[in-house]
Amino acid sequence: MICNALALTGIVVPCDSSIFLAVLAIHIPSGIVCVLAGLVALLSKKQPGRHPKFGTIYYWSLSVVLVSASILVGLRWAEDYQLFILGTLSFTVATLGRMAHRQRWHGWVRLHIIGMGLSYILMLTAFYVDNGKSLPLW
């Protein structure tokens, strides 16, 4: 697929394909939900209620981010393959962290914290790799 850059209100979108733009319209809000839900889960008291609720929202919005990112990367593989790697790693460690908790693996608390924390770090890293050049403080 041939993509031409598109400038929207000073923001450069790397592809003007209608498929790319439609998927991006899902990817961006899902990513925002993911960042906010992960932050709420991280900062919440670790007990029934807010923490597991927002952790679940984080996990499922991350799955939407991975699917949409996979489509976006597929349209621009040569330029963005590293984002696919980061997204896949993020979802994989989140899944392991979630499974550790749900199945009560030996040492599950440590594994849950490492998996979910690393997932959040990898997700933010992918965001910075893709958008860092456009952020005002970088």
Side-chain angles (χ1 to χ4, degrees):
M1 170 174 285
I2 297 177
C3 291
N4 298 307
L6 176 66
L8 298 171
T9 64
I11 299 170
V12 177
V13 178
C15 187
D16 63 353
S17 156
S18 59
I19 295 169
F20 188 91
L21 296 173
V23 174
L24 194 62
I26 294 166
H27 183 74
I28 292 171
S30 299
I32 291 169
V33 168
C34 201
V35 169
L36 295 176
L39 189 60
V40 171
L42 174 74
L43 298 175
S44 296
K45 201 170 208 175
K46 308 312 181 246
Q47 63 186 21
R50 184 175 290 177
H51 176 76
K53 177 182 178 182
F54 281 90
T56 299
I57 293 168
Y58 169 78
Y59 182 79
W60 291 110
S61 61
L62 183 63
S63 69
V64 173
V65 169
L66 176 62
V67 170
S68 60
S70 298
I71 295 167
L72 295 170
V73 168
L75 296 171
R76 294 174 27 90
W77 181 260
E79 298 86 358
D80 294 334
Y81 70 91
Q82 69 277 7
L83 299 173
F84 177 77
I85 294 167
L86 289 168
T88 301
L89 288 173
S90 177
F91 188 74
T92 300
V93 294
T95 299
L96 292 173
R98 189 169 196 260
M99 287 174 58
H101 167 67
R102 293 172 74 86
Q103 297 178 6
R104 297 289 199 246
W105 293 349
H106 177 72
W108 74 266
V109 172
R110 185 180 79 252
L111 294 171
H112 178 72
I113 292 168
I114 291 169
M116 300 310 279
L118 187 55
S119 169
Y120 196 79
I121 291 167
L122 286 164
M123 177 196 55
L124 289 178
T125 300
F127 172 79
Y128 291 132
V129 165
D130 192 39
N131 300 290
K133 59 195 166 290
S134 303
L135 298 175
L137 298 176
W138 295 99

